[in-house]
Each structure stands twice: as C-alpha cells, then as structure tokens.
Amino acid sequence: MKNATIAKRDEFLVFALPLIEDDEIEEVVKTLKSGWLGSGPKVAQFEEDFKQYKDADYAVALSSCTAALHLSLIAAGITAGDEVITTPLTFCATVNAIIHAGGTPVLADIDPHTLNIDPKEILKKVTSKTKAIIPVHFAGRACEMDEIMDIAKQHKLIVIEDCAHAIETEYKNQKAGNIGDFGCFSFYVTKNIVTGEGGMVLTPNKDYASRIKTLGLHGMTKDAWKRFGDDGYKHYQVVECGFKYNMMDLQASIGIHQLKKVDKYWDRREEIWFRYLEELKNLPITLPMATANDTKHGYHLFTVLLEKEKCGYSRDEFIEELKNYNIGIGVHYMSIPEHPYYQDTFGWKPESTPHAMNAGRNILSLPLSAKLTDQDVSDVINAIRSILDHA
Ligand SMILES: *Cc1c(COP(=O)(O)O)cnc(C)c1O
C-alpha cells in the first residue's frame, strides 16, 4: 500500500515528554508552602508507597538511579580489584557507577533478539575476581533472571538489577528489582514515572537498606534529616564518609502521585505498543520481539532496528528523515565500547561485543509516552510508512 506524501506536523514531537497532571502540581505547591522542601515526610511516604507497589522489604529513595547503583555497589562491598559484569547495551551510568565504587566493569554481550545481557556470555566472563552482576532489563523486557540467579548462586555473586526501564516489569510472578540483592530505579524525566531527577533502591536486606540510607546523606546517622523538626534539635553523628544523594520532598511530591497512575500510564503505553506492532508490521525494519509468556513488559522503549541493506536508510539517515516530519526519537544506546573514555581506559573495542555493537548502530526508539495523543501516534506511524515507501 502506497501512502500519499504525508504532511509534516506543525509542532516537533519531543521524544518522551512526561505526563504531569494537576494532582502532582497541587502536591508540589503544598510542599512549597509547607516550607519543608528537602528530605522529609513526603520522601518517607513515597518510599512506603513504592515498597508496597513492588512488594519489597526495604526501599530507600535517592537523588537518581545512578546514586542507587553506586550505593548498592558500595553496600555490596565492591572495592578495588573486584570485577562487576554488566551489559554493553546500557546507559553509561551503569558502567560509571561500577567505576566510581572502585570496581572494574566487565562487559558480557547481549542476546541479539531480546537485547538483554546473555547469561551464556556472563558465564564466559566470570573469573575469580568477579563479585557482582548488573543485569539491565532493557526497554522494560525482563532479563533471564533464573539463569542469572543460578550463575550468581554458583559463583557467590551479588546481583544488582538496573531497573531504570523496569518499574512495571515482572518475571515469573516476581517484580523486577525484587529478584536480586538490590533493585535500582530511576524517576528521571524520560522514565515511566518521573520526579524530575530521582531514584530508589529496593532490597530484601535490612542492613543493606540501612547502610544505603546513611551513605545517601553524608554518612550521618539515620534520621539526621529530622534534626530541624518540631521534636527539637538532635545531634547527629557521622559514621562513615557518605554522599549527598538524598531525594527531596519536592521530588517525592511528584512521585507519590505519578505512582498512583503507574498502571493507567502502562495501559496507555501498551495500547501504543500494539498499534506500532500492528501498523508497522510488514515493513523492512525489525520490531521488538514478542514478550515471553511468564513476564510482564515495562513498555519503556519501543525500539526498532534499521539496516540500510534492508530498508534503504542507515539509522542516522532515518533520524534525519523523521526530523523532516517533526518527529523526535531517542537512541538507546550506542554500545558502551563506542565511547572514547572506555576505549582509552580499558582498551575496549565495539567489535568485542558484536551483538551490542550492531544493535547500538541500528537502533532507534520511537515515542512511547502516556502523554501521546492518538494523532501523535498516527503521525509517527505515517511518517515511517511514508519514508520507507519513498526509499
Ligand atoms: C536512566 C538510566 C540510568 C540512570 O538513571 P538516573 O536516574 O538518570 O541516574 C541508569 N541505567 C539505565 C539503564 C538508564 O536508562
């Protein structure tokens, strides 16, 4: 079916705009008027709500998922010389957190179909120095957690799930972030629910949770944030050299209301997901594979793969074409070894993890926000069909 040339949208469709509604706005205003902007009762409530939503034992809110990963690694005891295995198809934060904790990152290639870290590749990378694995539930698709947990058990490794894409993700009736020793979440502006900047750690281990809480606020004794409260001033003690990673009540005010709508937003993204699958099928591009039966997809990123030999456009040429239609996209991600820092520091080459290299060079994320209107989604679909018709 040939489409007529499609008119360009009037306004640029910004990739991953968050949906912010009146309840968040009113809560933020209330918090501003209360005068308690920093870490306080709203953060405590957001932690409690998130813990319940995820059926987790302990939750600690932090300033970002990067902070959550960093403190999880420290709580796990990662120090100089320890190797931590992760995926090359992730945001740089995953790898940087390992380096900041003093560990040595080791990359295990992805499965080219799921785009998740391949347990067989993890096994090849395990050495006597390996201490932890950070699987990333890429795009919201659950990793092969049974295999990963088996490897971890066999080799006595800590598992830190990078759940930045996986707020709603489930694997065999377990919620992502509850399967390993730590689960790290992001509420950054492009994520499934947002607080602007923000993150959360889940853990089943009370000592880990307590250590992370302390490390997140300068290493001051727990509840130091209450020192200016109406119970009167309380002395605190610094018990280790921590970080300034606490979440603010201003952020939690947004998160509390975003979390109430997490299922509604997921339903909307699922609707868009299946429209894309249906209306982009039979085109010479690769769509996301079907979700495994016993899992729930988080629907964070709808990624397509573009190969010039098949569709006539390289990924970057296709981005330019979409820009002409006023459609904004994302790239998640150029594989980690494409970046000069890692090449210079570790001698990594993209070719060493070829599946992640290929995916990273061909991948494109389409808009998938709950804020999209049906017309926005039609505009994306029509633009893609039109571009490929004219190839
Ligand atoms: C966004 C993201 C992070 C970092 O999250 P922040 O909250 O921005 O620190 C980490 N890992 C992955 C896979 C991400 O997508």
Side-chain angles (χ1 to χ4, degrees), residues 304-371:
V304 300
L305 296 166
L306 298 144
E307 287 161 82
K308 187 151 184 164
E309 313 81 69
K310 281 195 196 159
C311 72
Y313 293 96
S314 71
R315 187 263 315 278
D316 290 348
E317 289 164 355
F318 203 79
I319 292 175
E320 276 305 302
E321 294 290 326
L322 279 171
K323 198 176 121 229
N324 293 334
Y325 283 87
N326 259 342
I327 307 287
I329 52 78
V331 173
H332 306 88
Y333 301 93
M334 294 295 290
S335 77
I336 290 289
E338 299 275 8
H339 298 286
Y341 172 77
Y342 308 107
Q343 293 173 1
D344 297 346
T345 308
F346 302 109
W348 288 347
K349 295 187 180 64
E351 291 76 13
S352 307
T353 42
H355 293 311
M357 176 185 77
N358 287 332
R361 290 179 181 180
N362 297 334
I363 206 161
L364 185 69
S365 303
L366 303 183
L368 184 66
S369 154
K371 194 181 168 83

Side-chain angles (χ1 to χ4, degrees), residues 64-66 69 90-91 93-94 136 162 164-165 186 188 191 198 333:
S64 68
C65 181
T66 307
L69 290 164
T90 185
F91 187 52
T94 317
V136 177
D162 182 334
H165 301 179
S186 176
Y188 176 65
K191 302 293 157 82
Y333 301 93

